Amino acid sequence: EVQLVQSGAEVKKPGESLKISCKGSGYRFTSYWIGWVRQMPGKGLEWMGIIYPGDPDTRYSPSFQGQVTISADNSISTAYLQWSSLKASDTAMYYCARLQGNYMDVWGKGTTVTVSS
Amino acid sequence: QSALTQPASVSGSPGQSITISCTGTSSDVGTYNLVSWYQQHPGKAPKLMIYEGSQRPSGVSNRFSGSKSGNTASLTISGLQADDEADYYCCSYTSSSTFHYVFGTGTKVTVL
């Protein structure tokens, strides 16, 4: 079974760093793009960026360029999303998803990030 | 990079059909048959319902169908059921930005 398993909920203070993960299983991890999607409380889905673990080629949505870093560790089939200095406005649910061509066929359950002083 | 435009809400009675629109431009929906649709129940991850405009993944009910006319893609749900009550998002490939994907604004479907 193809699965993406995301790391658990995080509660952080403004200014702290954070790295959340998305582990793929049941398929060849290096052969598919992985995307990260933000959903702020009560709001819609927003693309953050995508990574092709096989290269790794990484592309960011203009709104998130320079704000986050997307990376991958092929040895453990895991993609990451990280912040160097969190803000309260980073409070959101973050989803990873596998891209099958130009659509997302498998989604992780999401990681809730809460940033509060 | 502007989001694709969807109606904020659509409602219908059980058994009826409803259609959700997703309006883009000639840089995305109008040129590429690469619109996908996602269903999201409260507190859950999105689920793929339609891809490449009108293709249904295995396991998705044939009550869900996709189409396109000009710069507008549509998702039709026929035989509306209580479990169809959810948020729905379209997504398209776009050539108008350095990042080639854009979501719609989302539509809340209510089953009356």
Side-chain angles (χ1 to χ4, degrees):
Chain A
E1 181 194 4
V2 176
Q3 274 190 307
L4 295 173
V5 178
Q6 297 191 233
S7 50
E10 301 276 0
V11 180
K12 292 289 191 178
K13 290 181 166 43
E16 292 186 331
S17 62
L18 175 64
K19 193 174 189 177
I20 62 175
S21 65
C22 169
K23 182 175 176 61
S25 63
Y27 72 100
R28 181 170 292 184
F29 183 73
T30 52
S31 296
Y32 293 83
W33 291 85
I34 292 282
W36 285 96
V37 175
R38 182 176 79 174
Q39 188 168 37
M40 300 177 76
K43 301 298 185 183
L45 304 176
E46 300 174 89
W47 274 108
M48 300 180 73
I50 56 176
I51 186 167
Y52 189 74
D55 284 332
D57 185 1
T58 309
R59 305 175 189 182
Y60 295 91
S61 171
S63 299
F64 293 92
Q65 179 80 48
Q67 307 304 308
V68 296
T69 301
I70 295 171
S71 60
D73 184 340
N74 295 341
S75 68
I76 53 173
S77 300
T78 300
Y80 300 98
L81 177 65
Q82 69 180 90
W83 296 259
S84 58
S85 180
L86 286 161
K87 303 184 285 285
S89 57
D90 293 317
T91 294
M93 177 72 83
Y94 294 88
Y95 293 102
C96 65
R98 186 181 80 162
L99 270 76
Q100 175 75 265
N102 293 287
Y103 57 93
M104 290 77 74
D105 65 339
V106 180
W107 292 70
K109 293 187 187 303
T111 296
T112 299
V113 174
T114 303
V115 183
S116 174
S117 55
Chain B
Q1 188 176 19
S2 299
L4 306 173
T5 302
Q6 298 180 233
S9 62
V10 173
S11 62
S13 299
Q16 285 187 330
S17 293
I18 62 168
T19 297
I20 303 167
S21 61
C22 169
T23 300
T25 69
S26 58
S27 296
D28 39 65
V29 177
T31 296
Y32 304 99
N33 201 25
L34 296 173
V35 174
S36 49
W37 289 90
Y38 303 88
Q39 176 193 64
Q40 187 181 34
H41 285 111
K44 300 294 187 182
K47 174 188 175 185
L48 177 68
M49 304 303 285
I50 295 287
Y51 66 97
E52 293 174 357
S54 61
Q55 303 303 304
R56 245 187 339 269
S58 173
V60 171
S61 170
N62 59 9
R63 298 184 300 104
F64 291 84
S65 61
S67 63
K68 187 183 87 166
S69 178
N71 292 339
T72 298
S74 298
L75 174 71
T76 297
I77 309 174
S78 59
L80 202 60
Q81 298 178 359
D83 190 53
D84 299 333
E85 185 161 298
D87 294 324
Y88 291 82
Y89 296 91
C90 61
C91 179
S92 178
Y93 179 90
T94 175
S95 60
S96 69
S97 170
T98 54
F99 188 79
H100 294 302
Y101 299 101
V102 59
F103 278 115
T105 50
T107 298
K108 169 67 177 176
V109 167
T110 301
V111 181
L112 302 171

